[in-house]
Amino acid sequence: MLRSLSDGGRAVPVVAFGPSDANSRQLRAELARCAPQVTLVDPPVPQHESAPAPPPAALILLDAGGSVGAATLNLVGWLAANRTRMVFALDGIHAHPQWRTTQAEAAAVLGPVAGAVRIVPVSARLAAAARTAADATLLDRSGLTALHAALVEVAGTADRQPSVTVEQVLTATRVRIEEQVQALRSGTEEARLREQRAVLLAGRDGGRAQAMSALRNQLQLARVDLLHEVGARIRALHAASRAEVERLGPSAVRDYPGQLEATVHTLAAELDEVAARRLAEIARGLTPPDAEPVAPLAARIDPPPSAGPGPEPRHRGVEDHLMVALGASAGFGLGRLVVAPLALVPTLNYASMPVTLLLGGGIAYWVVRARGQLAQQAHLRQWAADALVNVKAQLEQRVSTRLVGAESRFTDDVVRLTTARAVADQHRLAEVESQLRQMRAQQPAQLAACDRDLTVVAAALTDNAARIARGVEMS
C-alpha cells in the first residue's frame, strides 16, 4: 500500500466483476470503511450491441465454494488481453473450510489465461466481526486488509496528501505491535496452556475411573430391573397356570406338564431378548462419540430352564375312603327320599328297593369322581407352584450369569478405550508442555523484536510528521 502512494497519481475506479449477492454487498461495505478509499463500480452495460471499453483496473470475485467457470475464464482472458490490472478475491472463506483447495485449483485454472495470479482469500463477515470486537488478529484473518492493499496498488490513490495516509498506516501498525506486546506480557496464552495442561493432568487415566463407576452403576441398575422383570413374569405365569388348571378336564391333566414346559421355554427366550436390549443400551453408552462403536455381545447358548419332572401320581388316602363312604351314604339317602312316594303304592313297594340302590350308587360314583378331580387339580396346582419357584431361581441365575459375562466384556472395552484416550492425552500433554517451553524461550526475543519494530515505526512517524510540516510551510 505504501509503495502505491509513491506514484502520486489519481485513483481510477475499480470495476467489480462477480455475483451480486449478500456476501459481495457486505464486502463492498467493509472496503468502503478502509482508508484510502477505493471506488468500486459495477461493470458497464453494453449499448447498441457494442463491446464495452476495458476498465483499467478490475476486481474479480470468486466463490470459495465453487469452481471457475467458462464465463469467468472468458472475462479474465478479455481483461488480460486489454492489459487490465486485475485483483482476484476468493470470497466467503468463513463458510468453506476447504477454501485452500479451491484457491489452488482456481490459480491453476486461471494461470494459463492471466499468467501468475494471486488470489486473496477474504471474508466480509469475519471483517465485520473483527471491527465489532476491535480484534486486529481476526481482521488479518479476514483478508480484508490484504485485499484493500491490493486494490489500492492497482487503482493508485486519489489522496492529495499521501503523508496523511502513510501516518494512518504507520499508526495502525504501531497499534498492532503494541497489542502483540501487551499479549506477550500479560501471559494470556501461557495461562490458557497452563489451564489446558492442568485439565490433561487431571484426566491422565483417560477417564477410566468415571467410566468404570458409570459401568458398575448401569450394570447394577440392569440387574435390579431384569430380576424384577423375572419376578413379574413368573407371577403372571403362576396366575395364568392356576386359572388354566381349574379349566382342565380329567383327560387334559396328563398333558399339562408338557404345556407348562413349552411356556417356560418361551418365557426364557423373551427374557433373553429383554436382557440383550438392555446390554446393547449399556454398550452404546460406553462408546465415546469420537471412537469406534463397541461390538455387540455374542448371544449366549445356554440350555433353557426346565420345570422339572412331572407331578407324581396322587396316592389315595383316608380322605378318599371317607369320601366313598360319605358319597354312598348320601346317595342311598337321596335315593330313599326319591322313591319314598312309591312306598305308598303297595304294588310298587317292591320296585322301590332296586331304584334306591341304583340312584344311591350313581350319586356315590359322581361324588367320588368329582372329589377325585378336585384333588387332582389341587395336586397339579401345587406341583406347578413348586415348579415355577424352581424356574424363577433358574431364570435369576441365568440373568446373573449373563450380567457377569457382560461386565467382564465391558470392563475390557472400557480399559481399551480409556487406554487409547490416555495415550492421546499424554501426547497432547507433551505438545502443550513443549509449547510452554518454547513460549518461555521465545518470549524475550519476541519482545525485543517488537521493541525494535516500535522504534522503527516511531522514527517513520517522526519523519512523516516532518514531511507534513514542510508541506504545510511550503503551502
Side-chain angles (χ1 to χ4, degrees):
M1 181 188 294
L2 295 178
R3 287 195 304 267
S4 66
L5 297 177
S6 61
D7 296 339
R10 297 184 59 85
V12 296
V14 179
V15 179
F17 294 94
S20 179
D21 53 7
N23 287 334
S24 62
R25 289 193 293 271
Q26 188 176 10
L27 180 60
R28 291 191 180 193
E30 294 299 327
L31 286 172
R33 298 176 181 272
C34 299
Q37 189 171 3
V38 178
T39 304
L40 294 178
V41 297
D42 295 327
V45 179
Q47 297 179 356
H48 305 292
E49 299 181 357
S50 60
L59 170 62
I60 311 298
L61 292 176
L62 305 176
D63 187 8
S67 57
V68 178
T72 304
L73 285 176
N74 295 333
L75 173 63
V76 172
W78 175 68
L79 294 174
N82 290 277
R83 299 182 180 277
T84 299
R85 298 187 297 273
M86 289 179 287
V87 175
F88 296 90
L90 191 67
D91 191 17
I93 60 174
H94 63 277
H96 303 281
Q98 72 284 2
W99 63 266
R100 291 181 177 85
T101 304
T102 306
Q103 181 186 22
E105 293 175 353
V109 172
L110 294 172
V113 178
V117 297
R118 177 197 172 200
I119 303 177
V120 182
V122 66
S123 171
R125 186 169 299 179
L126 290 179
R131 175 172 47 81
T132 303
D135 189 347
T137 304
L138 185 60
L139 181 62
D140 291 338
R141 287 178 51 195
S142 69
L144 185 70
T145 304
L147 179 60
H148 178 257
L151 290 175
V152 170
E153 187 174 354
V154 298
T157 176
D159 197 342
R160 295 183 181 179
Q161 294 181 350
S163 299
V164 176
T165 304
V166 172
E167 183 179 2
Q168 293 176 355
V169 174
L170 292 175
T171 303
T173 304
R174 184 180 62 183
V175 170
R176 294 185 185 179
I177 296 174
E178 290 174 349
E179 291 177 353
Q180 181 68 20
V181 171
Q182 184 179 0
L184 289 173
R185 290 177 177 172
S186 64
T188 303
E189 184 66 17
E190 184 176 358
R192 185 186 66 82
L193 291 176
R194 287 180 180 274
E195 181 180 358
Q196 189 175 359
R197 184 181 64 177
V199 172
L200 291 173
L201 287 174
R204 296 186 70 172
D205 62 343
R208 181 175 301 175
Q210 294 84 350
M212 293 298 296
S213 176
L215 175 60
R216 286 193 295 269
N217 293 338
Q218 291 294 328
L219 287 174
Q220 289 297 331
L221 183 60
R223 186 187 303 275
V224 172
D225 292 342
L226 290 176
L227 292 180
H228 177 74
E229 184 71 17
V230 168
R233 295 289 185 96
I234 290 296
R235 287 191 296 270
L237 181 57
H238 188 196
S241 68
R242 289 175 61 89
E244 189 173 358
V245 167
E246 292 178 357
R247 293 191 298 267
L248 291 177
S251 59
V253 171
R254 292 187 299 271
D255 300 333
Y256 181 72
Q259 297 176 6
L260 183 62
E261 186 80 11
T263 305
V264 167
H265 291 177
T266 303
L267 176 61
E270 293 176 354
L271 288 174
D272 286 343
E273 293 180 359
V274 173
R277 287 196 298 269
R278 188 60 182 270
L279 293 177
E281 292 177 359
I282 296 176
R284 286 193 297 269
L286 290 177
T287 307
D290 55 347
E292 296 181 0
V294 174
L297 289 172
R300 293 180 58 90
I301 305 176
D302 296 331
S306 174
E312 296 181 357
R314 190 177 66 87
H315 302 286
R316 296 181 179 274
V318 178
E319 184 180 358
D320 295 299
H321 299 297
L322 182 61
M323 287 305 301
V324 171
L326 292 177
S329 176
F332 287 125
L334 290 175
R336 187 64 178 173
L337 182 64
V338 171
V339 299
L342 298 178
L344 300 176
V345 181
T347 56
L348 298 179
N349 189 20
Y350 296 101
S352 63
M353 184 59 66
V355 173
T356 300
L357 293 175
L358 289 175
L359 288 174
I363 293 174
Y365 174 76
W366 179 81
V367 170
V368 172
R369 185 173 179 275
R371 180 67 184 93
Q373 183 177 356
L374 291 175
Q376 183 65 26
Q377 289 178 352
H379 180 66
L380 191 60
R381 282 197 298 270
Q382 183 62 38
W383 171 83
D386 296 339
L388 290 179
V389 170
N390 186 25
V391 168
K392 180 182 179 183
Q394 295 181 50
L395 289 175
E396 289 178 348
Q397 182 182 6
R398 188 184 184 93
V399 168
S400 299
T401 304
R402 185 159 189 173
L403 287 175
V404 169
E407 183 176 4
S408 177
R409 160 66 187 282
F410 289 155
T411 300
D412 295 340
D413 292 333
V414 167
V415 171
R416 177 177 54 84
L417 293 173
T418 54
T419 300
R421 195 183 308 166
V423 171
D425 290 345
Q426 190 67 26
H427 290 317
R428 179 57 185 159
L429 179 62
E431 293 177 0
V432 171
E433 291 180 346
S434 176
Q435 291 177 5
L436 282 172
R437 289 192 299 269
Q438 186 177 5
M439 183 177 297
R440 296 192 194 101
Q442 293 180 354
Q443 184 175 4
Q446 291 177 350
L447 287 173
C450 290
D451 291 338
R452 289 194 300 270
D453 293 341
L454 285 175
T455 303
V456 173
V457 171
L461 283 172
T462 303
D463 294 341
N464 188 64
R467 285 196 297 269
I468 294 175
R470 288 195 299 269
V472 172
E473 292 177 357
M474 291 177 61
S475 61

